[in-house]
Amino acid sequence: MTARPTAARHTMQATEQRALLTIALLAAFADGEKADTEREEIKRIADSLAGESGTPALAGLYQDVLLKRVNVAQAAAALPDEGQRLLAYEMAVCVCDADGTQSPAEQAFLSQLKSALKLGRTQTAEVEREADAIAAVPVTVPPPLATATPAPAAQVPTADLDSSILNHSILNGALELLPQSWASMAIIPLQMKLVYRIGQAHGYELDKGHIKEFIAAAGVGLTSQYVEQFGRKLLGGLLGKVGGGLGRGLGSAATGMAFSFASTYALGHLAKRYYAGGRQMSTAMLQETFQSLLQPAKQLQTQYLPQIQQKARTLDAGQILQMVKSA
């Protein structure tokens, strides 16, 4: 992946922030098939971002999008700067790819958005190639298991799994600190690979569909997770601070690292309990357990902040896709 300018270099105005978030929400609902839990999570995020930013213009943004009081053309018209238009398109591609490959409806939306933003194929080709490459990465880690028989508890490498969960959490926290909007997209496949490894260690060979269902059942939305990461970067002023260089202009702990460390850590330990127990938890129990794990994980996030920041400074753009493929 090569570095690109990340939006306009001047201070982004509230109207431009609103336009970018509007496009993010339009992209999130482009396929028309979001589950009720995902819709509620996106609404919570939109309300949270509006409350934390203190910008009255953001209030009711979710309803404006859901009730079709705003459209792509109107949002695009509020972005006069080419850098911001490129950022809007890059973000929309990442939102559409967050839960897997694009549906026909999402492809049609992105085509309409590209036209409204007045962007050509040469301007968007790299964005599309990078995001699609991350979305298409398989979760399986060779060599595959020969059997799906649950492993005896004594044979499960608990200490190794704990170390893997922590390392994935630190890496995902670092990715969220980076100013590039596509960096956050790598967080989701890394979470999926972590769940795969934990299931594998307990004797289960999982496919991407099962892992997505498990993550959704825990209450961790794939699309909503990316929308939140993007929104916090945008409103926190992280996007556009630097001209593409990684390891500089890192966001504050409050803005750039809202949930990725904690959500990854809690998800990993939830998976450990779930697969160790023979996949017996109900959806309600999964969600309740995830929330109980999330609070201590948020406290650990503060403890590991120096390691997360150091990891962010050492990440190289060209290595991110390779890390997602091999993690």
Side-chain angles (χ1 to χ4, degrees):
M1 299 182 183
T2 58
R4 293 182 300 276
T6 55
R9 295 173 187 273
H10 65 276
T11 301
M12 194 175 293
Q13 302 300 313
T15 53
E16 296 162 343
Q17 291 178 333
R18 180 183 175 88
L20 285 163
L21 287 173
T22 296
I23 291 171
L25 292 177
L26 287 168
F29 293 121
D31 63 2
E33 297 181 357
K34 287 287 175 287
D36 290 342
T37 52
E38 184 85 312
R39 285 179 176 270
E40 284 301 311
E41 185 65 8
I42 292 172
K43 182 180 186 301
R44 179 197 67 76
I45 290 163
D47 291 344
S48 174
L49 292 173
E52 292 175 14
S53 71
T55 304
L58 294 179
L61 187 60
Y62 175 89
Q63 279 75 19
D64 288 347
V65 170
L66 207 62
L67 298 176
K68 303 185 186 303
R69 294 194 291 242
V70 63
N71 58 41
V72 167
Q74 292 169 330
L79 299 172
D81 181 85
E82 182 182 359
Q84 291 175 354
R85 295 199 304 274
L86 282 169
L87 173 61
Y89 186 74
E90 178 176 322
M91 170 274 306
V93 171
C94 291
V95 170
C96 290
D97 279 351
D99 57 358
T101 55
Q102 298 166 11
S103 68
E106 288 172 326
Q107 291 172 354
F109 168 79
L110 291 173
S111 178
Q112 179 189 11
L113 176 63
K114 186 189 299 187
S115 176
L117 292 170
K118 298 179 172 60
L119 298 173
R121 180 177 297 180
T122 56
Q123 294 169 291
T124 62
E126 187 178 355
V127 168
E128 294 164 349
R129 183 173 61 253
E130 291 170 353
D132 291 349
I134 293 176
V137 169
V139 300
T140 54
V141 181
L145 292 178
T147 176
T149 303
Q155 296 180 15
V156 175
T158 302
D160 290 345
L161 291 180
D162 288 344
S163 177
S164 181
I165 291 169
L166 179 58
N167 289 336
H168 275 74
S169 302
I170 290 173
L171 175 57
N172 281 348
L175 286 170
E176 197 171 354
L177 283 176
L178 300 179
Q180 285 75 10
S181 60
W182 50 259
S184 291
M185 191 183 169
I187 292 170
I188 294 169
L190 286 170
Q191 289 177 339
M192 295 180 72
K193 282 179 175 290
L194 175 62
V195 172
Y196 177 88
R197 285 183 179 276
I198 292 170
Q200 186 184 50
H202 287 88
Y204 297 99
E205 187 177 357
L206 312 173
D207 60 25
K208 183 177 283 190
H210 170 87
I211 296 172
K212 287 167 66 174
E213 290 175 3
F214 168 76
I215 293 175
V220 185
L222 301 179
T223 302
S224 58
Q225 190 175 182
Y226 181 82
V227 170
E228 179 160 28
Q229 291 158 5
F230 173 82
R232 291 185 182 278
K233 283 184 178 183
L234 175 67
L235 297 179
L238 179 57
L239 292 169
K241 275 190 173 180
V242 296
L246 299 188
R248 293 176 290 133
L250 300 182
S252 68
T255 298
M257 211 180 46
F259 292 105
S260 58
F261 174 96
S263 62
T264 303
Y265 192 88
L267 188 64
H269 282 280
L270 175 66
K272 265 185 63 180
R273 296 188 186 187
Y274 180 66
Y275 295 110
R279 304 194 292 189
Q280 297 299 311
M281 289 186 181
S282 65
T283 298
M285 179 63 71
L286 282 169
Q287 293 179 359
E288 181 181 338
T289 305
F290 177 78
Q291 290 300 320
S292 71
L293 291 166
L294 194 59
Q295 292 308 312
K298 289 178 180 178
Q299 297 173 357
L300 279 175
Q301 181 172 283
T302 302
Q303 176 183 333
Y304 284 98
L305 177 57
Q307 291 95 317
I308 294 169
Q309 291 174 327
Q310 180 60 31
K311 186 69 174 178
R313 293 188 184 97
T314 61
L315 286 174
D316 178 85
Q319 298 173 346
I320 292 179
L321 179 57
Q322 188 57 43
M323 289 187 339
V324 172
K325 286 181 177 179
S326 61

